[in-house]
Amino acid sequence: MSAVAALASVAALAGAGPALAAEPGPAQGRIGVNLPLLTSPFWQAYNGYLPQMAKALGVDILAPVNSNQDPAQQITDVANLINLGAKGLVVAPLDSAAIGRALALAEQGKIPVVAVDVAPTRGKVAMVVRADNRAYGTRSCQYLGAQVKAGKVVQIMGDLASVNGRDRAEAFRSCMKDFPALQVLEIPAAWKSDAAAAALDGLLSAHPDLKGIYMHAGGVYLAPTLQTLRRRGLLRPAGDPRHIVVISNDGIAQELDAIRRGEIDATISQPADLYAKYGLYYIKAALAGQTFKPGPTPHGSRIVEVAPGILEDQLPAPVVTRENVDDKSLWANQP
């Protein structure tokens, strides 16, 4: 379905559930978009979707700015977008608490903000567009628990200053209590590929009998993880008795190719296309004065109140394995 047709469907189905009303009218002013980083294929894909989704929605966006994994720079970038005349902002927070300073600047200027991928822990937003990150950790744990009967597994964690990193890590740990035969090790890598590679190399020296790996973000951890395993002679294909079971989060094309090659076993597909689409959809709605309430949406998600006054549209994020890796509906399989 084209983006235009999909949006028309949203409008037509608005009466089907309580969460969404009709498609908002014309956007009132230009939209500023902030990117957290562009070194990850996931965020490169998100950035690539922005122009086509903006065109489909009739939204005029300023050139997106990249904060390059620097929370302080992100606050400056938001201020610069406001100074450039942005009437609304779509921001992917790097630090869930620090972004509150940027949100305060926007609120002072009566500029609505939609947060994408990461929910803020302070500040006002019109909507958070995100998948259920606790479900990422739980489903990754359950997958490893089903595949690895006993032994050591490691989670390569994201930045715990981000609610995404915390949600995935805490849910994984909690779920792992259901698998007492598994010993959980952890690498705090803060979304940095070099930190992940160095820590995994050291961990494998101490634990060469590792049985499973959970990566919080394939976009930054896939390449260094595979390189480290290959260098140590541990990159064995699925089916080999010495294969280390790997599940990741992101759903980038590189992960899907690694599943096809048997190098990793699964990933959870974060919807980069839908993050771009509904980030812009909700900021357009906010500029039109539209509000929302908890409940199901016509696009297969659910809006939930994650904190007082903070609504989050939790978009679907399917598990991808060898059984469905070629599914054309996965964003990474689309041209």
Side-chain angles (χ1 to χ4, degrees), residues 245-267:
V245 177
V246 181
I247 183 168
S248 185
N249 294 167
D250 269 352
I252 59 174
Q254 293 89 332
E255 287 172 301
L256 271 53
D257 287 341
I259 291 172
R260 295 182 182 103
R261 293 191 299 267
E263 294 174 339
I264 73 171
D265 301 84
T267 186

Side-chain angles (χ1 to χ4, degrees), residues 20-327:
L20 290 180
E23 182 182 343
Q28 300 173 5
R30 303 189 77 185
I31 306 303
V33 180
N34 174 262
L35 306 169
L37 66 155
L38 272 176
T39 53
S40 161
F42 177 83
W43 288 109
Q44 292 166 9
Y46 169 81
N47 188 42
Y49 281 116
L50 286 169
Q52 69 184 73
M53 298 303 180
K55 183 178 180 181
L57 279 159
V59 171
D60 185 14
I61 62 173
L62 295 163
V65 294
N66 171 25
S67 296
N68 199 29
Q69 276 189 294
D70 184 342
Q73 181 60 45
Q74 188 165 56
I75 296 166
T76 300
D77 288 341
V78 168
N80 289 339
L81 287 169
I82 292 171
N83 289 335
L84 286 170
K87 299 303 182 184
L89 296 167
V90 178
V91 178
L94 282 160
D95 184 304
S96 296
I99 197 63
R101 290 173 57 194
L103 297 178
L105 291 174
E107 188 172 9
Q108 288 170 14
K110 298 182 179 180
I111 298 168
V113 180
V114 168
V116 170
D117 181 57
V118 174
T121 54
R122 62 181 67 174
K124 180 180 179 181
V125 291
M127 181 66 71
V128 179
V129 176
R130 186 172 175 247
D132 184 347
N133 278 247
R134 290 196 64 84
Y136 288 179
T138 299
R139 295 167 82 183
S140 297
C141 156
Q142 291 169 340
Y143 185 88
L144 279 182
Q147 301 295 319
V148 181
K149 300 307 178 186
K152 301 169 184 175
V153 300
V154 61
Q155 65 164 332
I156 305 176
M157 300 184 292
D159 191 342
L160 299 184
S162 157
V163 69
N164 284 13
R166 292 199 299 273
D167 279 356
R168 296 178 201 189
E170 291 168 3
F172 185 82
R173 291 179 195 134
S174 179
C175 167
M176 272 293 163
K177 294 175 183 177
D178 295 334
F179 302 95
L182 298 183
Q183 179 185 348
V184 180
L185 308 172
E186 295 184 339
I187 292 174
W191 312 125
K192 298 185 187 322
S193 57
D194 54 350
L200 180 60
D201 193 55
L203 184 142
L204 288 169
S205 294
H207 305 279
D209 54 343
L210 189 71
K211 301 296 184 184
I213 297 173
Y214 166 40
M215 298 184 289
H216 279 200
V220 289
Y221 297 151
L222 177 69
T225 295
L226 295 183
Q227 289 165 4
T228 301
L229 294 177
R230 185 178 292 111
R231 187 174 66 254
R232 285 182 164 271
L234 297 174
L235 189 60
R236 304 287 179 171
D240 187 304
R242 294 171 292 177
H243 172 69
I244 295 175
V245 177
V246 181
I247 183 168
S248 185
N249 294 167
D250 269 352
I252 59 174
Q254 293 89 332
E255 287 172 301
L256 271 53
D257 287 341
I259 291 172
R260 295 182 182 103
R261 293 191 299 267
E263 294 174 339
I264 73 171
D265 301 84
T267 186
I268 296 177
S269 179
Q270 282 199 105
D273 55 342
L274 299 184
Y275 279 6
K277 176 178 176 178
Y278 288 106
L280 294 174
Y281 173 89
Y282 283 113
I283 198 61
K284 181 179 179 181
L287 287 169
Q290 187 174 336
T291 58
F292 302 89
K293 58 184 179 180
T297 73
H299 52 269
S301 65
R302 176 172 287 274
I303 293 177
V304 299
E305 187 172 26
V306 292
I310 302 293
L311 296 180
E312 179 174 297
D313 188 351
Q314 294 187 337
L315 299 172
V319 177
V320 183
T321 66
R322 295 191 74 174
E323 284 67 38
N324 65 336
V325 70
D326 295 321
D327 188 335

